[in-house]
């Protein structure tokens, strides 16, 4: 992330959309226009978390990583400051980064945050959209707080908007914000991208507010999803909830507006990540990891600690590998980095306890006095070290039960040494499996199948590893974060 320059400006200080005044004269303000400001209008990204808030306790997450790679000079990024206050802010605080991106943030009141974020967004929408209806907790005050926070976002953004801005709202926390902006009279083009999967009507209808959410999203001009299967499911819900039959092209009319539903898979800046990983090979953390392995092969998992990532089954699969393929005992180590997230939600606390127990069971069963098979840590690792760890790993183990895309899979491929690459074992239920077909694709629910795939990867010939990696690397270089932004914004710009 680039350096921030705090200017403590309020919208009323910014006349006619001019940039806020900087306190440091060394920070460049003007410069050549980039795609973020060239052509029709400035890009205004809206997400719950903005990179500026990550220093204030936010955990690792794919959205910030993907958009940070592609946010350039002239853009504005609007979202939550990361602070919980007495009251939700009515006006945004403005920060201008060294790279010329304006960050505008608001605080959220503690009582709203609990209900909006832990309650409705992560207690109802997240499990539902990951097909875990059994974990869904709905209550109306949470839903009302969700709507209220979306309204507060819209109200605080309103005075910052210029008439030709393209507003690009992100993710499941902000599904009703487009409708709130329209209610305030905003006529700008509004796009919405959902980073998580979608579900068919039989699942979505379990949520009492399903129809209202589909209607609220339909206030946007473009709705983007990660895969064509997700887009199809969204369109089925349009028919179910609104009684509207979309065209084959994914367009439909609602309340006098034409909505376009598009598939725009997210990616990473693969070349940049590949260079980072090459340099990180000699970083102190990578060297320490290498030395600690003592020549053993490394199986690596990197995830947020989330039940959608399939970690208990993954631990089970590793145990089965050691049981069914004893040749790997003492010669393989599995490192699982599972950064704690959403610790205030009950289902995340119980997941952590389950993993602690499972790790103990596996190590109790297979450890020797000089070898512990499973290493499991719950604090985040910096990106540099992560890149070095990926490069060092013989197997990248990515087995979510359901995932919108999964950027870890793409980072793992980008980080490999093309001369001696590792093997990606990938769940068929990650959006990434649509593209990364040369990985060893598994059903994460079948721990024996996952164990067999790890074994296959560990014994795979160099020739086959190279051939698979070559094909996968081409793909991650094609669907980059940059292309994702460009494609989505091209759809948005094309709207009347
Ligand atoms: P996430 O569920 O957060 O993202 P993912 O796509 O894997 O999942 O992105 C995680 C990002 O955070 C990666 O860049 C990774 O390097 C980093 N990260 C993960 N675990 C980490 C750890 N333990 N320590 C340090 N860094 C870690 C959501 C959706 C995904 C979708 C993305 C982007 O759930 O399906 O791919 O948004 O759209």
């Amino acid at each position: 992330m680039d350096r921030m320059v705090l200017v403590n400006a309020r919208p009323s200080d910014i006349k006619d959309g001019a940039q806020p005044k900087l306190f440091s004269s060394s920070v460049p303000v003007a410069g050549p226009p980039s795609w973020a400001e060239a052509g029709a209008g400035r890009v205004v990204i809206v997400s719950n978390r903005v990179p500026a808030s990550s220093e204030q306790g936010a955990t690792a997450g794919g959205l910030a990583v993907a958009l940070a790679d592609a946010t350039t000079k002239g853009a504005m990024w609007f979202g939550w400051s990361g602070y919980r206050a007495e009251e939700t802010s009515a006006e945004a605080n403005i920060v201008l980064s060294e790279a010329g991106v304006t960050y505008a943030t608001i605080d959220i009141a503690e009582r709203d945050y609990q209900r909006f974020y832990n309650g409705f967004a992560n207690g109802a929408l997240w499990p539902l959209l990951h097909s875990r209806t059994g974990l869904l907790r709905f209550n109306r005050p949470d839903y009302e707080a969700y709507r209220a926070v979306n309204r507060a976002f819209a109200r605080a953004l309103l005075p910052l908007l210029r008439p030709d801005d393209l507003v690009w709202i992100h993710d499941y926390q902000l599904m009703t914000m487009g409708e709130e902006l329209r209610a305030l009279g905003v006529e700008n083009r509004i796009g919405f991208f959902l980073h998580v999967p979608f579900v068919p009507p039989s699942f979505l209808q379990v949520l009492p507010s399903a129809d209202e959410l589909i209607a609220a999203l339909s206030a946007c001009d473009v709705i983007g999803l990660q895969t064509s299967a997700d887009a199809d499911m969204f369109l089925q819900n349009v028919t179910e909830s609104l009684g509207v039959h979309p065209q084959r092209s994914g367009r439909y009319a609602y309340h006098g507006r034409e909505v376009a539903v598009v598939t725009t898979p997210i990616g990473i800046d693969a070349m940049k990540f590949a260079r980072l990983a090459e340099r990180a090979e000699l970083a102190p953390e990578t060297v320490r990891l290498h030395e600690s392995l003592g020549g053993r092969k490394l199986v690596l998992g990197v995830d947020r600690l989330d039940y959608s990532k399939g970690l208990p089954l993954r631990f089970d699969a590793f145990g089965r590998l050691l049981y069914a393929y004893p040749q790997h005992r003492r010669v393989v180590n599995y490192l699982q980095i599972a950064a704690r997230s959403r610790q205030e939600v009950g289902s995340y606390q119980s997941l952590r306890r389950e993993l602690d127990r499972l790790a103990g069971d596996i190590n109790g069963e297979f450890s020797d006095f000089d070898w512990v098979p499973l290493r499991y840590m719950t604090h985040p690792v910096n990106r540099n070290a992560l890149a070095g760890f990926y490069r060092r790993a013989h197997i990248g183990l990515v087995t979510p039960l359901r995932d919108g895309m999964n950027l870890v899979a793409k980072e793992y491929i980008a980080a490999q040494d093309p001369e001696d690459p590792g093997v990606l074992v990938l769940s068929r239920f990650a959006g990434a499996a649509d593209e990364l077909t040369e990985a060893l694709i598994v059903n994460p629910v079948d721990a024996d199948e996952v164990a067999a795939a790890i074994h296959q990867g560990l014994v795979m010939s160099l020739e086959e590893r190279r051939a698979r990696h070559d094909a996968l690397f081409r793909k991650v270089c094609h669907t980059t974060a940059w292309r994702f932004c460009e494609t989505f914004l091209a759809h948005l710009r094309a709207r009347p």
Side-chain angles (χ1 to χ4, degrees):
M1 186 185 36
D2 49 45
R3 191 163 65 87
M4 301 294 162
V5 180
L6 186 63
V7 293
N8 281 330
R10 294 280 168 187
S12 44
D13 302 331
I14 307 167
K15 302 276 183 316
D16 300 319
Q19 291 290 356
K21 256 208 249 149
L22 295 169
F23 288 150
S24 160
S25 57
S26 64
V27 179
V29 186
S34 65
W35 65 266
E37 61 182 351
R42 181 179 61 156
V43 175
V44 176
I45 292 171
V46 185
S47 61
N48 182 44
R49 297 272 171 98
V50 301
S53 69
S54 62
E55 289 165 354
Q56 297 155 10
T59 42
L63 184 151
V65 170
L67 286 175
D69 271 352
T71 310
T72 51
K73 193 172 169 59
M76 175 187 273
W77 198 330
F78 179 94
W80 175 43
S81 62
Y83 289 112
R84 304 185 213 174
E86 286 256 309
E87 295 299 328
T88 298
S89 328
E91 285 192 343
N93 244 311
I94 314 289
V95 174
L96 182 61
S97 79
E98 199 174 44
V101 177
T102 302
Y103 292 91
T105 55
I106 60 168
D107 303 340
I108 300 181
E110 175 69 34
R111 61 182 181 284
D112 291 342
Y113 174 87
Q114 291 298 346
R115 291 194 171 282
F116 149 74
Y117 188 71
N118 293 332
F120 191 69
N122 289 319
L125 283 177
W126 178 272
L128 176 66
L129 293 172
H130 288 85
S131 308
R132 300 290 290 271
T133 45
L135 295 176
L136 188 160
R137 300 282 170 268
F138 176 83
N139 76 65
R140 206 147 274 283
D142 288 354
Y143 175 57
E144 277 155 15
Y146 177 90
R147 295 213 64 128
V149 169
N150 274 251
R151 199 172 309 124
F153 267 54
R155 285 184 180 156
L157 178 62
L158 183 69
L160 305 179
L161 282 181
R162 304 173 190 167
D164 60 351
D165 281 347
L166 298 170
V167 180
W168 189 8
I169 302 170
H170 288 263
D171 227 3
Y172 65 100
Q173 301 92 348
L174 298 172
M175 286 169 108
T176 58
M177 185 181 169
E179 186 178 61
E180 299 293 352
L181 285 169
R182 295 288 182 227
L184 294 170
V186 171
E187 281 303 318
N188 296 54
R189 277 171 276 193
I190 302 177
F192 176 87
F193 183 77
L194 186 68
H195 291 255
V196 299
F198 217 77
V199 287
S202 55
F203 276 65
L204 199 75
Q205 286 294 320
V206 173
L207 188 72
S209 52
D211 297 349
E212 289 170 36
L213 290 181
I214 298 291
L217 282 170
S218 302
C220 299
D221 298 290
V222 176
I223 298 169
L225 294 117
Q226 300 269 25
T227 68
S228 53
D230 292 324
D232 284 348
M233 286 190 277
F234 183 82
L235 291 167
Q236 289 170 30
N237 280 286
V238 167
T239 304
E240 176 76 25
S241 292
L242 309 180
V244 168
H245 293 276
Q247 298 165 18
R248 284 173 68 106
S249 63
R251 294 184 180 189
Y252 63 96
Y254 187 66
H255 283 183
R257 196 172 275 287
E258 193 189 60
V259 186
V261 175
V262 300
T263 305
T264 50
I266 202 164
I268 59 166
D269 185 341
M271 292 308 293
K272 186 168 144 196
F273 202 81
R275 286 194 295 273
L276 178 71
E278 202 176 344
R279 282 199 305 275
E281 226 170 354
L282 298 175
E285 291 98 335
T286 317
V287 171
R288 269 173 56 204
L289 174 65
H290 181 79
E291 285 170 356
S292 77
L293 289 169
R296 295 188 181 97
K297 289 190 172 178
L298 176 66
V299 175
L300 177 67
V302 176
D303 306 79
R304 276 187 309 97
L305 211 165
D306 192 297
Y307 51 79
S308 66
K309 305 294 182 184
L311 294 170
L313 281 161
R314 199 183 302 174
F315 280 19
D316 188 23
F318 183 67
R320 290 190 200 205
L321 172 86
L322 298 179
Y323 179 76
Y325 304 90
Q327 65 268 42
H328 298 305
R329 291 183 200 167
R330 303 187 54 83
V331 295
V332 169
N333 268 107
Y334 169 27
L335 170 62
Q336 178 61 53
I337 303 172
R340 278 167 277 191
S341 75
R342 302 174 196 168
Q343 289 299 291
E344 291 164 353
V345 182
S347 46
Y348 288 75
Q349 292 160 4
S350 46
L351 171 66
R352 187 152 174 219
R353 284 194 295 274
E354 187 183 0
L355 289 174
D356 290 349
R357 185 181 57 74
L358 283 170
D361 286 354
I362 291 171
N363 283 335
E365 175 77 21
F366 294 102
S367 289
D368 214 332
F369 66 91
D370 58 351
W371 174 61
V372 178
L374 196 165
R375 304 176 189 183
Y376 155 58
M377 51 188 274
T378 59
H379 54 262
V381 172
N382 72 57
R383 252 178 119 55
N384 194 36
L386 206 55
F389 291 4
Y390 285 139
R391 194 168 174 95
R392 180 66 186 73
H394 295 81
I395 303 287
L397 198 49
V398 181
T399 57
L401 299 173
R402 198 85 178 83
D403 217 328
M405 177 54 61
N406 195 296
L407 295 179
V408 168
K410 296 188 171 186
E411 290 167 356
Y412 178 74
I413 293 300
Q416 295 310 297
D417 175 358
E419 295 304 314
D420 186 15
V423 175
L424 175 64
V425 174
L426 178 62
S427 162
R428 57 187 285 198
F429 303 123
D434 263 24
E435 286 171 82
L436 304 183
T437 48
E438 290 79 7
L440 298 180
I441 304 290
V442 293
N443 182 340
V445 169
D446 186 346
D448 291 317
E449 186 187 330
V450 177
I454 301 171
H455 168 71
Q456 187 187 342
L458 287 170
V459 300
M460 191 180 282
S461 70
L462 178 61
E463 193 186 5
E464 184 177 351
R465 282 189 281 129
R466 278 190 188 153
R468 286 179 186 268
H469 175 261
D470 187 51
L472 291 168
F473 188 66
R474 282 171 205 271
K475 289 178 174 176
V476 295
C477 287
H478 181 75
T479 326
T480 57
W482 185 265
R483 185 179 287 262
F484 159 70
C485 290
E486 256 190 345
T487 312
F488 188 93
L489 291 170
H491 283 297
L492 194 53
R493 287 202 177 96
R495 305 309 297 149

